[in-house]
PDB file of all heavy atoms in Angstrom:
ATOM      1  N   ILE A   1     -73.056  10.799 -11.664  1.00 82.00           N
ATOM      2  CA  ILE A   1     -73.448  11.987 -12.484  1.00 82.00           C
ATOM      3  C   ILE A   1     -72.827  11.849 -13.865  1.00 82.00           C
ATOM      4  O   ILE A   1     -71.620  11.631 -13.965  1.00 82.00           O
ATOM      5  CB  ILE A   1     -73.055  13.278 -11.794  1.00 82.00           C
ATOM      6  CG1 ILE A   1     -73.790  13.473 -10.459  1.00 82.00           C
ATOM      7  CG2 ILE A   1     -73.316  14.506 -12.730  1.00 82.00           C
ATOM      8  CD1 ILE A   1     -73.368  14.674  -9.671  1.00 82.00           C
ATOM      9  N   GLY A   2     -73.656  11.965 -14.906  1.00 84.00           N
ATOM     10  CA  GLY A   2     -73.156  11.768 -16.299  1.00 84.00           C
ATOM     11  C   GLY A   2     -73.535  10.459 -16.858  1.00 84.00           C
ATOM     12  O   GLY A   2     -73.433  10.257 -18.075  1.00 84.00           O
ATOM     13  N   ASP A   3     -74.008   9.533 -16.031  1.00 86.00           N
ATOM     14  CA  ASP A   3     -74.424   8.215 -16.537  1.00 86.00           C
ATOM     15  C   ASP A   3     -75.690   8.337 -17.301  1.00 86.00           C
ATOM     16  O   ASP A   3     -76.601   9.166 -17.026  1.00 86.00           O
ATOM     17  CB  ASP A   3     -74.671   7.233 -15.362  1.00 86.00           C
ATOM     18  CG  ASP A   3     -73.382   6.625 -14.814  1.00 86.00           C
ATOM     19  OD1 ASP A   3     -72.324   7.004 -15.330  1.00 86.00           O
ATOM     20  OD2 ASP A   3     -73.433   5.909 -13.853  1.00 86.00           O
ATOM     21  N   TRP A   4     -75.822   7.493 -18.364  1.00 86.00           N
ATOM     22  CA  TRP A   4     -77.034   7.393 -19.140  1.00 86.00           C
ATOM     23  C   TRP A   4     -77.859   6.268 -18.485  1.00 86.00           C
ATOM     24  O   TRP A   4     -77.440   5.149 -18.448  1.00 86.00           O
ATOM     25  CB  TRP A   4     -76.752   7.114 -20.589  1.00 86.00           C
ATOM     26  CG  TRP A   4     -77.909   6.739 -21.435  1.00 86.00           C
ATOM     27  CD1 TRP A   4     -79.259   6.896 -21.108  1.00 86.00           C
ATOM     28  CD2 TRP A   4     -77.937   6.099 -22.665  1.00 86.00           C
ATOM     29  NE1 TRP A   4     -80.089   6.422 -22.112  1.00 86.00           N
ATOM     30  CE2 TRP A   4     -79.288   5.925 -23.076  1.00 86.00           C
ATOM     31  CE3 TRP A   4     -76.916   5.647 -23.476  1.00 86.00           C
ATOM     32  CZ2 TRP A   4     -79.635   5.276 -24.321  1.00 86.00           C
ATOM     33  CZ3 TRP A   4     -77.272   5.034 -24.714  1.00 86.00           C
ATOM     34  CH2 TRP A   4     -78.578   4.862 -25.076  1.00 86.00           C
ATOM     35  N   ILE A   5     -79.032   6.602 -17.954  1.00 90.00           N
ATOM     36  CA  ILE A   5     -79.905   5.586 -17.322  1.00 90.00           C
ATOM     37  C   ILE A   5     -81.294   5.604 -18.027  1.00 90.00           C
ATOM     38  O   ILE A   5     -81.720   6.663 -18.568  1.00 90.00           O
ATOM     39  CB  ILE A   5     -80.051   5.752 -15.846  1.00 90.00           C
ATOM     40  CG1 ILE A   5     -80.873   7.070 -15.519  1.00 90.00           C
ATOM     41  CG2 ILE A   5     -78.736   5.749 -15.161  1.00 90.00           C
ATOM     42  CD1 ILE A   5     -81.268   7.184 -14.038  1.00 90.00           C
ATOM     43  N   THR A   6     -81.929   4.441 -17.965  1.00 91.00           N
ATOM     44  CA  THR A   6     -83.302   4.281 -18.421  1.00 91.00           C
ATOM     45  C   THR A   6     -84.169   3.711 -17.299  1.00 91.00           C
ATOM     46  O   THR A   6     -83.848   2.688 -16.732  1.00 91.00           O
ATOM     47  CB  THR A   6     -83.353   3.364 -19.632  1.00 91.00           C
ATOM     48  OG1 THR A   6     -82.557   3.924 -20.697  1.00 91.00           O
ATOM     49  CG2 THR A   6     -84.813   3.204 -20.135  1.00 91.00           C
ATOM     50  N   MET A   7     -85.255   4.455 -16.988  1.00 90.00           N
ATOM     51  CA  MET A   7     -86.152   4.036 -15.938  1.00 90.00           C
ATOM     52  C   MET A   7     -87.588   4.205 -16.447  1.00 90.00           C
ATOM     53  O   MET A   7     -88.162   5.290 -16.363  1.00 90.00           O
ATOM     54  CB  MET A   7     -85.928   4.836 -14.641  1.00 90.00           C
ATOM     55  CG  MET A   7     -86.333   4.091 -13.377  1.00 90.00           C
ATOM     56  SD  MET A   7     -85.671   4.934 -11.903  1.00 90.00           S
ATOM     57  CE  MET A   7     -86.126   3.736 -10.632  1.00 90.00           C
ATOM     58  N   ASP A   8     -88.143   3.103 -16.957  1.00 87.00           N
ATOM     59  CA  ASP A   8     -89.460   3.220 -17.637  1.00 87.00           C
ATOM     60  C   ASP A   8     -90.560   3.678 -16.734  1.00 87.00           C
ATOM     61  O   ASP A   8     -91.482   4.375 -17.232  1.00 87.00           O
ATOM     62  CB  ASP A   8     -89.800   1.870 -18.260  1.00 87.00           C
ATOM     63  CG  ASP A   8     -88.854   1.428 -19.373  1.00 87.00           C
ATOM     64  OD1 ASP A   8     -88.271   2.332 -20.027  1.00 87.00           O
ATOM     65  OD2 ASP A   8     -88.622   0.190 -19.529  1.00 87.00           O
ATOM     66  N   ARG A   9     -90.484   3.345 -15.477  1.00 87.00           N
ATOM     67  CA  ARG A   9     -91.590   3.702 -14.578  1.00 87.00           C
ATOM     68  C   ARG A   9     -91.776   5.197 -14.454  1.00 87.00           C
ATOM     69  O   ARG A   9     -92.879   5.666 -14.384  1.00 87.00           O
ATOM     70  CB  ARG A   9     -91.250   3.110 -13.163  1.00 87.00           C
ATOM     71  CG  ARG A   9     -92.309   3.525 -12.115  1.00 87.00           C
ATOM     72  CD  ARG A   9     -91.946   2.932 -10.762  1.00 87.00           C
ATOM     73  NE  ARG A   9     -92.918   3.433  -9.754  1.00 87.00           N
ATOM     74  CZ  ARG A   9     -92.829   3.117  -8.467  1.00 87.00           C
ATOM     75  NH1 ARG A   9     -91.810   2.389  -8.007  1.00 87.00           N
ATOM     76  NH2 ARG A   9     -93.658   3.612  -7.592  1.00 87.00           N
ATOM     77  N   TYR A  10     -90.683   5.943 -14.524  1.00 88.00           N
ATOM     78  CA  TYR A  10     -90.760   7.408 -14.430  1.00 88.00           C
ATOM     79  C   TYR A  10     -90.553   8.049 -15.811  1.00 88.00           C
ATOM     80  O   TYR A  10     -90.510   9.335 -15.900  1.00 88.00           O
ATOM     81  CB  TYR A  10     -89.709   7.917 -13.444  1.00 88.00           C
ATOM     82  CG  TYR A  10     -89.907   7.452 -12.044  1.00 88.00           C
ATOM     83  CD1 TYR A  10     -89.267   6.330 -11.564  1.00 88.00           C
ATOM     84  CD2 TYR A  10     -90.790   8.102 -11.244  1.00 88.00           C
ATOM     85  CE1 TYR A  10     -89.457   5.880 -10.249  1.00 88.00           C
ATOM     86  CE2 TYR A  10     -91.051   7.634  -9.912  1.00 88.00           C
ATOM     87  CZ  TYR A  10     -90.347   6.536  -9.438  1.00 88.00           C
ATOM     88  OH  TYR A  10     -90.572   6.111  -8.152  1.00 88.00           O
ATOM     89  N   GLY A  11     -90.455   7.298 -16.863  1.00 88.00           N
ATOM     90  CA  GLY A  11     -90.275   7.866 -18.211  1.00 88.00           C
ATOM     91  C   GLY A  11     -88.883   8.532 -18.394  1.00 88.00           C
ATOM     92  O   GLY A  11     -88.816   9.455 -19.161  1.00 88.00           O
ATOM     93  N   ALA A  12     -87.956   8.036 -17.641  1.00 91.00           N
ATOM     94  CA  ALA A  12     -86.576   8.645 -17.709  1.00 91.00           C
ATOM     95  C   ALA A  12     -85.736   7.873 -18.727  1.00 91.00           C
ATOM     96  O   ALA A  12     -85.634   6.684 -18.641  1.00 91.00           O
ATOM     97  CB  ALA A  12     -85.918   8.646 -16.367  1.00 91.00           C
ATOM     98  N   ASP A  13     -85.079   8.565 -19.589  1.00 90.00           N
ATOM     99  CA  ASP A  13     -84.162   8.014 -20.596  1.00 90.00           C
ATOM    100  C   ASP A  13     -83.184   9.088 -21.009  1.00 90.00           C
ATOM    101  O   ASP A  13     -83.450   9.810 -21.933  1.00 90.00           O
ATOM    102  CB  ASP A  13     -84.932   7.440 -21.769  1.00 90.00           C
ATOM    103  CG  ASP A  13     -84.018   6.705 -22.691  1.00 90.00           C
ATOM    104  OD1 ASP A  13     -82.875   6.334 -22.316  1.00 90.00           O
ATOM    105  OD2 ASP A  13     -84.397   6.497 -23.906  1.00 90.00           O
ATOM    106  N   GLY A  14     -82.094   9.178 -20.267  1.00 89.00           N
ATOM    107  CA  GLY A  14     -81.128  10.274 -20.578  1.00 89.00           C
ATOM    108  C   GLY A  14     -79.958  10.275 -19.534  1.00 89.00           C
ATOM    109  O   GLY A  14     -79.770   9.261 -18.849  1.00 89.00           O
ATOM    110  N   ASP A  15     -79.315  11.399 -19.445  1.00 90.00           N
ATOM    111  CA  ASP A  15     -78.100  11.545 -18.600  1.00 90.00           C
ATOM    112  C   ASP A  15     -78.449  12.114 -17.214  1.00 90.00           C
ATOM    113  O   ASP A  15     -79.268  13.028 -17.127  1.00 90.00           O
ATOM    114  CB  ASP A  15     -77.100  12.466 -19.281  1.00 90.00           C
ATOM    115  CG  ASP A  15     -76.631  11.950 -20.649  1.00 90.00           C
ATOM    116  OD1 ASP A  15     -76.571  10.720 -20.748  1.00 90.00           O
ATOM    117  OD2 ASP A  15     -76.330  12.771 -21.548  1.00 90.00           O
ATOM    118  N   VAL A  16     -77.863  11.514 -16.196  1.00 90.00           N
ATOM    119  CA  VAL A  16     -78.043  11.984 -14.815  1.00 90.00           C
ATOM    120  C   VAL A  16     -77.247  13.309 -14.692  1.00 90.00           C
ATOM    121  O   VAL A  16     -76.063  13.380 -14.912  1.00 90.00           O
ATOM    122  CB  VAL A  16     -77.513  10.957 -13.817  1.00 90.00           C
ATOM    123  CG1 VAL A  16     -77.637  11.472 -12.415  1.00 90.00           C
ATOM    124  CG2 VAL A  16     -78.326   9.679 -13.960  1.00 90.00           C
ATOM    125  N   ILE A  17     -77.940  14.369 -14.319  1.00 88.00           N
ATOM    126  CA  ILE A  17     -77.279  15.676 -14.179  1.00 88.00           C
ATOM    127  C   ILE A  17     -77.129  16.114 -12.665  1.00 88.00           C
ATOM    128  O   ILE A  17     -76.358  17.003 -12.404  1.00 88.00           O
ATOM    129  CB  ILE A  17     -78.006  16.792 -14.963  1.00 88.00           C
ATOM    130  CG1 ILE A  17     -79.512  16.901 -14.505  1.00 88.00           C
ATOM    131  CG2 ILE A  17     -78.023  16.486 -16.469  1.00 88.00           C
ATOM    132  CD1 ILE A  17     -80.218  18.053 -15.176  1.00 88.00           C
ATOM    133  N   GLU A  18     -77.940  15.452 -11.809  1.00 85.00           N
ATOM    134  CA  GLU A  18     -77.829  15.817 -10.381  1.00 85.00           C
ATOM    135  C   GLU A  18     -78.352  14.748  -9.516  1.00 85.00           C
ATOM    136  O   GLU A  18     -79.354  14.063  -9.851  1.00 85.00           O
ATOM    137  CB  GLU A  18     -78.642  17.138 -10.125  1.00 85.00           C
ATOM    138  CG  GLU A  18     -78.542  17.651  -8.766  1.00 85.00           C
ATOM    139  CD  GLU A  18     -79.394  18.913  -8.532  1.00 85.00           C
ATOM    140  OE1 GLU A  18     -79.568  19.672  -9.480  1.00 85.00           O
ATOM    141  OE2 GLU A  18     -79.838  19.136  -7.382  1.00 85.00           O
ATOM    142  N   ILE A  19     -77.622  14.447  -8.426  1.00 81.00           N
ATOM    143  CA  ILE A  19     -78.052  13.512  -7.440  1.00 81.00           C
ATOM    144  C   ILE A  19     -78.012  14.225  -6.065  1.00 81.00           C
ATOM    145  O   ILE A  19     -76.944  14.598  -5.632  1.00 81.00           O
ATOM    146  CB  ILE A  19     -77.163  12.284  -7.379  1.00 81.00           C
ATOM    147  CG1 ILE A  19     -77.067  11.565  -8.776  1.00 81.00           C
ATOM    148  CG2 ILE A  19     -77.618  11.305  -6.318  1.00 81.00           C
ATOM    149  CD1 ILE A  19     -76.092  10.381  -8.779  1.00 81.00           C
ATOM    150  N   ASN A  20     -79.175  14.381  -5.499  1.00 77.00           N
ATOM    151  CA  ASN A  20     -79.181  15.008  -4.151  1.00 77.00           C
ATOM    152  C   ASN A  20     -79.982  14.116  -3.224  1.00 77.00           C
ATOM    153  O   ASN A  20     -80.328  12.999  -3.524  1.00 77.00           O
ATOM    154  CB  ASN A  20     -79.785  16.424  -4.184  1.00 77.00           C
ATOM    155  CG  ASN A  20     -81.125  16.494  -4.861  1.00 77.00           C
ATOM    156  OD1 ASN A  20     -81.989  15.660  -4.540  1.00 77.00           O
ATOM    157  ND2 ASN A  20     -81.326  17.453  -5.703  1.00 77.00           N
ATOM    158  N   LEU A  21     -80.271  14.624  -2.030  1.00 71.00           N
ATOM    159  CA  LEU A  21     -80.845  13.846  -0.997  1.00 71.00           C
ATOM    160  C   LEU A  21     -82.306  13.319  -1.361  1.00 71.00           C
ATOM    161  O   LEU A  21     -82.672  12.229  -1.005  1.00 71.00           O
ATOM    162  CB  LEU A  21     -80.888  14.585   0.337  1.00 71.00           C
ATOM    163  CG  LEU A  21     -81.104  13.844   1.596  1.00 71.00           C
ATOM    164  CD1 LEU A  21     -79.927  12.852   1.769  1.00 71.00           C
ATOM    165  CD2 LEU A  21     -81.171  14.711   2.794  1.00 71.00           C
ATOM    166  N   ALA A  22     -83.045  14.133  -1.995  1.00 75.00           N
ATOM    167  CA  ALA A  22     -84.468  13.829  -2.289  1.00 75.00           C
ATOM    168  C   ALA A  22     -84.712  13.295  -3.679  1.00 75.00           C
ATOM    169  O   ALA A  22     -85.511  12.428  -3.909  1.00 75.00           O
ATOM    170  CB  ALA A  22     -85.344  15.065  -2.055  1.00 75.00           C
ATOM    171  N   THR A  23     -83.989  13.867  -4.671  1.00 81.00           N
ATOM    172  CA  THR A  23     -84.271  13.510  -6.082  1.00 81.00           C
ATOM    173  C   THR A  23     -83.005  13.276  -6.871  1.00 81.00           C
ATOM    174  O   THR A  23     -81.953  13.737  -6.535  1.00 81.00           O
ATOM    175  CB  THR A  23     -85.050  14.657  -6.729  1.00 81.00           C
ATOM    176  OG1 THR A  23     -84.306  15.885  -6.710  1.00 81.00           O
ATOM    177  CG2 THR A  23     -86.423  14.833  -6.071  1.00 81.00           C
ATOM    178  N   VAL A  24     -83.215  12.571  -7.994  1.00 87.00           N
ATOM    179  CA  VAL A  24     -82.194  12.409  -9.025  1.00 87.00           C
ATOM    180  C   VAL A  24     -82.808  13.063 -10.309  1.00 87.00           C
ATOM    181  O   VAL A  24     -83.895  12.712 -10.746  1.00 87.00           O
ATOM    182  CB  VAL A  24     -81.889  10.924  -9.303  1.00 87.00           C
ATOM    183  CG1 VAL A  24     -80.926  10.805 -10.463  1.00 87.00           C
ATOM    184  CG2 VAL A  24     -81.265  10.287  -8.063  1.00 87.00           C
ATOM    185  N   LYS A  25     -82.045  13.983 -10.908  1.00 91.00           N
ATOM    186  CA  LYS A  25     -82.537  14.663 -12.071  1.00 91.00           C
ATOM    187  C   LYS A  25     -81.867  14.059 -13.321  1.00 91.00           C
ATOM    188  O   LYS A  25     -80.638  13.910 -13.376  1.00 91.00           O
ATOM    189  CB  LYS A  25     -82.225  16.185 -12.003  1.00 91.00           C
ATOM    190  CG  LYS A  25     -83.009  16.913 -10.975  1.00 91.00           C
ATOM    191  CD  LYS A  25     -82.759  18.411 -11.027  1.00 91.00           C
ATOM    192  CE  LYS A  25     -83.583  19.139  -9.963  1.00 91.00           C
ATOM    193  NZ  LYS A  25     -83.319  20.602  -9.961  1.00 91.00           N
ATOM    194  N   VAL A  26     -82.741  13.691 -14.290  1.00 93.00           N
ATOM    195  CA  VAL A  26     -82.280  13.107 -15.536  1.00 93.00           C
ATOM    196  C   VAL A  26     -82.650  13.991 -16.674  1.00 93.00           C
ATOM    197  O   VAL A  26     -83.894  14.349 -16.842  1.00 93.00           O
ATOM    198  CB  VAL A  26     -82.902  11.679 -15.702  1.00 93.00           C
ATOM    199  CG1 VAL A  26     -82.443  11.115 -17.033  1.00 93.00           C
ATOM    200  CG2 VAL A  26     -82.520  10.810 -14.510  1.00 93.00           C
ATOM    201  N   ARG A  27     -81.735  14.447 -17.507  1.00 92.00           N
ATOM    202  CA  ARG A  27     -81.986  15.121 -18.730  1.00 92.00           C
ATOM    203  C   ARG A  27     -82.217  14.211 -19.844  1.00 92.00           C
ATOM    204  O   ARG A  27     -81.270  13.529 -20.324  1.00 92.00           O
ATOM    205  CB  ARG A  27     -80.921  16.155 -19.057  1.00 92.00           C
ATOM    206  CG  ARG A  27     -81.237  16.996 -20.291  1.00 92.00           C
ATOM    207  CD  ARG A  27     -80.093  17.871 -20.746  1.00 92.00           C
ATOM    208  NE  ARG A  27     -79.879  18.972 -19.774  1.00 92.00           N
ATOM    209  CZ  ARG A  27     -78.766  19.126 -19.065  1.00 92.00           C
ATOM    210  NH1 ARG A  27     -77.796  18.252 -19.217  1.00 92.00           N
ATOM    211  NH2 ARG A  27     -78.654  20.173 -18.242  1.00 92.00           N
ATOM    212  N   ASN A  28     -83.487  14.047 -20.282  1.00 91.00           N
ATOM    213  CA  ASN A  28     -83.806  13.132 -21.336  1.00 91.00           C
ATOM    214  C   ASN A  28     -83.254  13.675 -22.713  1.00 91.00           C
ATOM    215  O   ASN A  28     -82.867  14.772 -22.816  1.00 91.00           O
ATOM    216  CB  ASN A  28     -85.309  12.908 -21.426  1.00 91.00           C
ATOM    217  CG  ASN A  28     -85.869  12.375 -20.093  1.00 91.00           C
ATOM    218  OD1 ASN A  28     -85.339  11.437 -19.558  1.00 91.00           O
ATOM    219  ND2 ASN A  28     -86.929  12.985 -19.646  1.00 91.00           N
ATOM    220  N   PHE A  29     -83.288  12.705 -23.676  1.00 84.00           N
ATOM    221  CA  PHE A  29     -82.717  13.081 -24.993  1.00 84.00           C
ATOM    222  C   PHE A  29     -83.562  14.052 -25.733  1.00 84.00           C
ATOM    223  O   PHE A  29     -83.121  14.604 -26.744  1.00 84.00           O
ATOM    224  CB  PHE A  29     -82.470  11.820 -25.763  1.00 84.00           C
ATOM    225  CG  PHE A  29     -81.411  10.897 -25.185  1.00 84.00           C
ATOM    226  CD1 PHE A  29     -81.656   9.610 -24.872  1.00 84.00           C
ATOM    227  CD2 PHE A  29     -80.175  11.386 -24.868  1.00 84.00           C
ATOM    228  CE1 PHE A  29     -80.736   8.778 -24.314  1.00 84.00           C
ATOM    229  CE2 PHE A  29     -79.186  10.628 -24.334  1.00 84.00           C
ATOM    230  CZ  PHE A  29     -79.475   9.266 -24.027  1.00 84.00           C
ATOM    231  N   ASP A  30     -84.827  14.269 -25.313  1.00 85.00           N
ATOM    232  CA  ASP A  30     -85.673  15.284 -25.939  1.00 85.00           C
ATOM    233  C   ASP A  30     -85.539  16.616 -25.180  1.00 85.00           C
ATOM    234  O   ASP A  30     -86.389  17.495 -25.340  1.00 85.00           O
ATOM    235  CB  ASP A  30     -87.104  14.820 -26.017  1.00 85.00           C
ATOM    236  CG  ASP A  30     -87.674  14.498 -24.597  1.00 85.00           C
ATOM    237  OD1 ASP A  30     -86.983  14.598 -23.610  1.00 85.00           O
ATOM    238  OD2 ASP A  30     -88.844  14.163 -24.546  1.00 85.00           O
ATOM    239  N   ASN A  31     -84.498  16.703 -24.308  1.00 86.00           N
ATOM    240  CA  ASN A  31     -84.210  17.914 -23.504  1.00 86.00           C
ATOM    241  C   ASN A  31     -85.206  18.217 -22.446  1.00 86.00           C
ATOM    242  O   ASN A  31     -85.204  19.315 -21.867  1.00 86.00           O
ATOM    243  CB  ASN A  31     -84.007  19.155 -24.432  1.00 86.00           C
ATOM    244  CG  ASN A  31     -82.761  19.085 -25.244  1.00 86.00           C
ATOM    245  OD1 ASN A  31     -81.725  18.574 -24.742  1.00 86.00           O
ATOM    246  ND2 ASN A  31     -82.786  19.565 -26.476  1.00 86.00           N
ATOM    247  N   THR A  32     -86.109  17.288 -22.165  1.00 92.00           N
ATOM    248  CA  THR A  32     -86.950  17.384 -20.943  1.00 92.00           C
ATOM    249  C   THR A  32     -86.193  16.854 -19.754  1.00 92.00           C
ATOM    250  O   THR A  32     -85.192  16.175 -19.894  1.00 92.00           O
ATOM    251  CB  THR A  32     -88.247  16.608 -21.158  1.00 92.00           C
ATOM    252  OG1 THR A  32     -87.970  15.254 -21.352  1.00 92.00           O
ATOM    253  CG2 THR A  32     -89.032  17.160 -22.324  1.00 92.00           C
ATOM    254  N   THR A  33     -86.695  17.196 -18.594  1.00 92.00           N
ATOM    255  CA  THR A  33     -86.028  16.791 -17.346  1.00 92.00           C
ATOM    256  C   THR A  33     -87.027  15.924 -16.487  1.00 92.00           C
ATOM    257  O   THR A  33     -88.145  16.337 -16.277  1.00 92.00           O
ATOM    258  CB  THR A  33     -85.597  17.978 -16.466  1.00 92.00           C
ATOM    259  OG1 THR A  33     -84.649  18.785 -17.251  1.00 92.00           O
ATOM    260  CG2 THR A  33     -84.885  17.504 -15.201  1.00 92.00           C
ATOM    261  N   THR A  34     -86.528  14.747 -16.147  1.00 92.00           N
ATOM    262  CA  THR A  34     -87.359  13.850 -15.273  1.00 92.00           C
ATOM    263  C   THR A  34     -86.750  13.841 -13.883  1.00 92.00           C
ATOM    264  O   THR A  34     -85.545  13.686 -13.723  1.00 92.00           O
ATOM    265  CB  THR A  34     -87.386  12.434 -15.877  1.00 92.00           C
ATOM    266  OG1 THR A  34     -87.945  12.492 -17.186  1.00 92.00           O
ATOM    267  CG2 THR A  34     -88.210  11.513 -15.020  1.00 92.00           C
ATOM    268  N   THR A  35     -87.616  13.973 -12.860  1.00 90.00           N
ATOM    269  CA  THR A  35     -87.198  13.950 -11.483  1.00 90.00           C
ATOM    270  C   THR A  35     -87.590  12.630 -10.877  1.00 90.00           C
ATOM    271  O   THR A  35     -88.739  12.255 -10.902  1.00 90.00           O
ATOM    272  CB  THR A  35     -87.806  15.099 -10.668  1.00 90.00           C
ATOM    273  OG1 THR A  35     -87.377  16.346 -11.285  1.00 90.00           O
ATOM    274  CG2 THR A  35     -87.286  15.097  -9.273  1.00 90.00           C
ATOM    275  N   ILE A  36     -86.633  11.877 -10.348  1.00 88.00           N
ATOM    276  CA  ILE A  36     -86.821  10.512  -9.791  1.00 88.00           C
ATOM    277  C   ILE A  36     -86.508  10.598  -8.293  1.00 88.00           C
ATOM    278  O   ILE A  36     -85.456  11.139  -7.873  1.00 88.00           O
ATOM    279  CB  ILE A  36     -85.944   9.490 -10.478  1.00 88.00           C
ATOM    280  CG1 ILE A  36     -86.192   9.505 -11.980  1.00 88.00           C
ATOM    281  CG2 ILE A  36     -86.192   8.150  -9.864  1.00 88.00           C
ATOM    282  CD1 ILE A  36     -85.192   8.635 -12.757  1.00 88.00           C
ATOM    283  N   PRO A  37     -87.335  10.042  -7.416  1.00 85.00           N
ATOM    284  CA  PRO A  37     -87.010   9.953  -6.003  1.00 85.00           C
ATOM    285  C   PRO A  37     -85.707   9.167  -5.812  1.00 85.00           C
ATOM    286  O   PRO A  37     -85.539   8.074  -6.381  1.00 85.00           O
ATOM    287  CB  PRO A  37     -88.201   9.241  -5.338  1.00 85.00           C
ATOM    288  CG  PRO A  37     -89.316   9.431  -6.316  1.00 85.00           C
ATOM    289  CD  PRO A  37     -88.693   9.477  -7.683  1.00 85.00           C
ATOM    290  N   THR A  38     -84.793   9.651  -5.003  1.00 81.00           N
ATOM    291  CA  THR A  38     -83.511   9.030  -4.840  1.00 81.00           C
ATOM    292  C   THR A  38     -83.674   7.596  -4.304  1.00 81.00           C
ATOM    293  O   THR A  38     -82.943   6.695  -4.734  1.00 81.00           O
ATOM    294  CB  THR A  38     -82.637   9.842  -3.879  1.00 81.00           C
ATOM    295  OG1 THR A  38     -82.521  11.170  -4.388  1.00 81.00           O
ATOM    296  CG2 THR A  38     -81.252   9.246  -3.753  1.00 81.00           C
ATOM    297  N   TYR A  39     -84.582   7.374  -3.366  1.00 79.00           N
ATOM    298  CA  TYR A  39     -84.726   6.086  -2.841  1.00 79.00           C
ATOM    299  C   TYR A  39     -85.220   5.014  -3.813  1.00 79.00           C
ATOM    300  O   TYR A  39     -85.037   3.809  -3.612  1.00 79.00           O
ATOM    301  CB  TYR A  39     -85.608   5.992  -1.596  1.00 79.00           C
ATOM    302  CG  TYR A  39     -87.045   6.508  -1.853  1.00 79.00           C
ATOM    303  CD1 TYR A  39     -88.025   5.698  -2.350  1.00 79.00           C
ATOM    304  CD2 TYR A  39     -87.402   7.804  -1.469  1.00 79.00           C
ATOM    305  CE1 TYR A  39     -89.289   6.163  -2.579  1.00 79.00           C
ATOM    306  CE2 TYR A  39     -88.696   8.279  -1.663  1.00 79.00           C
ATOM    307  CZ  TYR A  39     -89.648   7.434  -2.254  1.00 79.00           C
ATOM    308  OH  TYR A  39     -90.921   7.923  -2.477  1.00 79.00           O
ATOM    309  N   SER A  40     -85.822   5.478  -4.966  1.00 83.00           N
ATOM    310  CA  SER A  40     -86.271   4.507  -5.969  1.00 83.00           C
ATOM    311  C   SER A  40     -85.097   3.824  -6.686  1.00 83.00           C
ATOM    312  O   SER A  40     -85.260   2.775  -7.279  1.00 83.00           O
ATOM    313  CB  SER A  40     -87.139   5.221  -6.995  1.00 83.00           C
ATOM    314  OG  SER A  40     -86.392   6.168  -7.705  1.00 83.00           O
ATOM    315  N   LEU A  41     -83.871   4.400  -6.542  1.00 81.00           N
ATOM    316  CA  LEU A  41     -82.715   3.805  -7.238  1.00 81.00           C
ATOM    317  C   LEU A  41     -82.357   2.476  -6.508  1.00 81.00           C
ATOM    318  O   LEU A  41     -81.713   1.618  -7.124  1.00 81.00           O
ATOM    319  CB  LEU A  41     -81.538   4.739  -7.181  1.00 81.00           C
ATOM    320  CG  LEU A  41     -81.652   6.068  -8.033  1.00 81.00           C
ATOM    321  CD1 LEU A  41     -80.380   6.876  -7.871  1.00 81.00           C
ATOM    322  CD2 LEU A  41     -81.898   5.637  -9.515  1.00 81.00           C
ATOM    323  N   SER A  42     -82.724   2.414  -5.228  1.00 77.00           N
ATOM    324  CA  SER A  42     -82.391   1.147  -4.481  1.00 77.00           C
ATOM    325  C   SER A  42     -83.599   0.234  -4.357  1.00 77.00           C
ATOM    326  O   SER A  42     -83.423  -0.934  -4.053  1.00 77.00           O
ATOM    327  CB  SER A  42     -81.841   1.502  -3.115  1.00 77.00           C
ATOM    328  OG  SER A  42     -82.852   2.259  -2.374  1.00 77.00           O
ATOM    329  N   SER A  43     -84.776   0.712  -4.649  1.00 77.00           N
ATOM    330  CA  SER A  43     -85.984  -0.078  -4.473  1.00 77.00           C
ATOM    331  C   SER A  43     -86.540  -0.583  -5.833  1.00 77.00           C
ATOM    332  O   SER A  43     -87.228  -1.568  -5.879  1.00 77.00           O
ATOM    333  CB  SER A  43     -87.035   0.676  -3.719  1.00 77.00           C
ATOM    334  OG  SER A  43     -87.449   1.876  -4.426  1.00 77.00           O
TER     335      SER A  43
END
């Protein structure tokens, strides 16, 4: 939590604000929020 990650497939480019069982929430630099499936971090 707090890491800056970039994941082009989901349009995520910002800071990780939450990691839970189903999703990872990323606050992008334009203040939008991208939700990424947690299992995609390993796949």
Side-chain angles (χ1 to χ4, degrees):
I1 294 175
D3 282 357
W4 168 18
I5 67 170
T6 301
M7 205 167 189
D8 295 332
R9 177 181 175 183
Y10 296 96
D13 186 16
D15 298 328
V16 177
I17 59 176
E18 183 180 331
I19 302 176
N20 55 44
L21 199 59
T23 59
V24 175
K25 291 184 180 179
V26 178
R27 182 185 290 116
N28 300 312
F29 294 123
D30 58 359
N31 289 326
T32 59
T33 301
T34 301
T35 301
I36 302 171
T38 304
Y39 59 80
S40 65
L41 294 179
S42 59
S43 60

